[in-house]
């Protein structure tokens, strides 16, 4: 998929897909919100409000109040691409959230996911 198309996707359609992915594996929306909040600086309430507004997925990240500097510690592959090799900063941030949700869906706790990132920093 072309990166511009990803950036233009409606946040209100994309975010629920991430939540659904986690929920299919027995996780909860609150855990996804916690990971997204850690990454972007938005509160869970702000994330829920944005799901009712007309905002693109790219704008969600571009307007993030405080992108966590420890996101640079997120490593691994998502959709067959190594996160640390993604050169476009916006796409890298998007894929970081995908990776965090993947780790959650694999059974890791939020505390374990974030603890590892903080330890690696």
């Amino acid at each position: 998929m072309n990166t511009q198309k990803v950036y233009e996707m409606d946040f209100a359609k994309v975010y629920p897909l991430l939540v659904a992915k986690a929920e299919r594996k027995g996780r909860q929306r609150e855990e996804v919100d916690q990971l997204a909040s850690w990454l972007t600086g938005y509160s869970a309430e702000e994330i829920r409000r944005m799901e009712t507004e007309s905002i693109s997925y790219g704008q969600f990240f571009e307007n993030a109040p405080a992108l966590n500097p420890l996101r640079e510690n997120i490593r691994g592959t998502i959709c067959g691409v190594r996160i640390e090799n993604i050169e476009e900063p916006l796409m890298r941030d998007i894929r970081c959230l995908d990776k965090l949700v993947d780790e959650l869906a694999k059974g890791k706790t939020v505390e374990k996911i974030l603890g590892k990132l903080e330890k690696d920093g």
Side-chain angles (χ1 to χ4, degrees):
M1 181 178 277
N2 153 334
T3 55
Q4 193 60 38
K5 286 184 181 180
V6 172
Y7 301 157
E8 293 171 359
M9 293 171 73
D10 188 0
F11 177 77
K13 291 184 180 179
V14 176
Y15 196 76
L17 296 174
L18 293 173
V19 172
K21 178 179 186 174
E23 288 177 340
R24 281 192 303 273
K25 299 294 185 169
R27 306 319 293 242
Q28 297 179 2
R29 180 198 169 99
E30 291 75 20
E31 293 172 296
V32 176
D33 289 348
Q34 190 176 352
L35 292 171
S37 293
W38 178 89
L39 181 64
T40 64
Y42 290 115
S43 69
E45 295 79 25
E46 290 171 314
I47 292 169
R48 289 181 190 212
R49 183 177 39 79
M50 281 184 271
E51 284 184 274
T52 66
E53 297 174 355
S54 179
I55 182 172
S56 72
Y57 203 40
Q59 289 170 323
F60 173 77
F61 285 94
E62 289 170 337
N63 299 332
L67 286 168
N68 194 316
L70 294 178
R71 72 189 187 284
E72 299 299 324
N73 295 338
I74 299 173
R75 304 268 187 257
T77 59
I78 190 78
C79 300
V81 177
R82 293 208 60 79
I83 291 174
E84 55 271 26
N85 294 340
I86 299 172
E87 292 183 22
E88 172 64 37
L90 181 56
M91 182 55 71
R92 187 177 194 289
D93 291 339
I94 287 171
R95 293 303 187 189
C96 283
L97 182 55
D98 291 341
K99 183 64 175 176
L100 293 173
V101 173
D102 272 3
E103 293 297 308
L104 183 67
K106 289 178 182 175
K108 292 182 181 171
T109 65
V110 170
E111 293 76 20
K112 184 171 183 175
I113 295 166
L114 299 183
K116 180 177 182 349
L117 295 173
E118 291 167 5
K119 180 182 148 206
D120 290 349

